[in-house]
Amino acid sequence: MVTVAELVQSVARRLEDVGITEGRLEARLLLGEAADWTLEKIVAERDTPLESGVVARVERLAARRLAREPMSHVLGWREFWSLRFKVTSDVLTPRPDSETLVEAVMRALPDRAAKLRLLDLGVGSGCLLLSLLHELPQASGVGIDRSARALVVARQNARALDLAGRAELRAGDWGDGIEEVFDIVVSNPPYVPSDDIETLDPEVSEHEPWLALDGGADGLDCYRRLAGQLGYLVRPGGIVALEVGKGQAAVVARLIRAAGFIDVSTHNDLAGIPRAILARRSSPG
Ligand SMILES: C[S@@+](CC[C@H](N)C(=O)[O-])C[C@H]1O[C@@H](n2cnc3c(N)ncnc32)[C@H](O)[C@@H]1O
């Protein structure tokens, strides 16, 4: 019988052979999923022999990962802001970089117990809106997406996180037709230049929705569209927070200033890349 350590070693080596850098961690995560074990248990039980059914389940998951299906699709979930989000091929996998935006918004709020109204344009899995609602117990919000299939996943995540009562998730084309003004508007729009998508890792280019990636010729189409709408979606004194791609921060900051926003700040991700732009809508007088 194969032991825990032997199986992890064998799967990790095969994952690394196809260019997956974190082979050992991923092998452990696959075993954790197949056996319903924590990572701590996997480390502690390294010499324990595994039942053949568990080994077969690990091998089935590993075969999908070896074909460069994203880990989030193989597992069916991804952790974001310490919460577990269901992930399918209908939504962008939540990225650690996007936690920069959540963190920047949280730091900008003087009163976390306020009854704030939030809007998330391009809600996808719901990771931004639902993480913020999780932190802000009196807040409620609206999440918009053009993809009906993404909204199905977002609604499942809202229910699983016990936030469905405070999150309205509905179809739309950015801010079109929205008449309410919000205290906080967040968005992580598609920002990859169209011609660059095919150069990305196969996990992204072949498995993630193009609607979540494609930012037009220069990657900035959605920001231009949003800049034209944010002035009437954010209340005077309210906050907008936008995620940006590498090298886009300065131009997006300019668009936001031109749309009537002040106190524009840039927030770096853990790799030191400017990743989120935060700004406040000027108040009259
Ligand atoms: C980069 S993903 C972000 C998803 C999620 N907010 C996150 O941070 O992981 C962009 C999202 O915008 C949605 N989207 C694209 N075009 C849209 C449009 N015209 N109106 C509303 N949503 C749109 C996509 O379907 C996708 O879910």
Side-chain angles (χ1 to χ4, degrees):
M1 267 173 130
V2 62
T3 65
V4 167
E6 285 163 350
L7 184 66
V8 167
Q9 165 95 1
S10 150
V11 172
R13 189 181 34 74
R14 282 177 280 150
L15 292 174
E16 281 160 12
D17 282 350
V18 299
I20 293 167
T21 46
E22 296 204 282
R24 179 162 294 272
L25 173 63
E26 292 200 5
R28 287 181 175 151
L29 284 167
L30 294 176
L31 173 56
E33 191 66 20
D36 198 17
W37 283 13
T38 62
L39 292 183
E40 292 72 27
K41 178 161 169 146
I42 290 169
V43 172
E45 307 248 352
R46 63 187 314 282
D47 296 321
T48 303
L50 287 165
E51 288 167 20
S52 59
V54 171
V55 176
R57 277 203 294 283
V58 172
E59 291 295 347
R60 275 199 297 278
L61 297 175
R64 291 173 57 191
R65 187 65 187 108
L66 286 164
R68 301 300 296 264
E69 217 181 304
M71 196 61 179
S72 55
H73 295 188
V74 176
L75 297 175
W77 56 269
R78 167 57 73 84
E79 195 177 290
F80 180 87
W81 201 251
S82 300
L83 302 170
R84 186 178 278 215
F85 285 85
K86 175 178 172 152
V87 177
T88 71
S89 56
D90 293 323
V91 295
L92 189 88
T93 298
R95 310 287 207 265
D97 294 343
S98 304
E99 294 181 343
T100 311
L101 185 151
V102 177
E103 205 176 332
V105 171
M106 289 309 300
R107 274 210 234 109
L109 294 178
D111 178 9
R112 296 180 179 192
K115 276 193 175 295
L116 298 166
R117 285 287 288 161
L118 276 60
L119 173 66
D120 182 347
L121 294 170
V123 70
S125 64
C127 63
L128 299 179
L129 177 68
L130 298 174
S131 298
L132 286 167
L133 291 179
H134 179 79
E135 294 293 331
L136 302 167
Q138 301 298 323
S140 59
V142 178
I144 299 288
D145 210 287
R146 219 176 90 189
S147 161
R149 296 162 78 107
L151 289 166
V152 170
V153 179
R155 288 189 189 110
Q156 287 172 340
N157 281 324
R159 275 196 298 276
L161 294 168
D162 212 12
L163 292 167
R166 294 195 281 133
E168 184 193 338
L169 297 155
R170 57 176 203 245
D173 185 5
W174 300 128
D176 282 4
I178 299 179
E179 288 179 1
E180 185 179 350
V181 285
F182 294 85
D183 299 295
I184 304 168
V185 176
V186 300
S187 184
N188 172 17
Y191 55 64
V192 183
S194 308
D195 287 347
D196 291 358
I197 296 177
E198 277 180 354
T199 68
L200 301 175
D201 287 339
E203 285 87 344
V204 181
S205 62
E206 291 172 20
H207 294 277
E208 298 215 82
W210 276 55
L211 187 62
L213 301 171
D214 190 355
D218 64 355
L220 298 167
D221 279 3
C222 304
Y223 297 103
R224 293 189 196 96
R225 202 52 213 288
L226 289 168
Q229 300 186 329
L230 289 168
Y232 64 80
L233 291 170
V234 183
R235 72 159 172 78
I239 290 172
V240 62
L242 301 177
E243 177 165 327
V244 293
K246 196 171 174 183
Q248 296 175 332
V251 55
V252 173
R254 268 201 301 280
L255 285 170
I256 291 301
R257 276 196 197 93
F261 286 80
I262 56 172
D263 299 340
V264 180
S265 56
T266 301
H267 303 260
N268 292 355
D269 64 21
L270 290 176
I273 295 167
R275 186 60 67 189
I277 302 284
L278 204 96
R280 203 168 280 284
R281 189 174 158 208
S282 52
S283 307

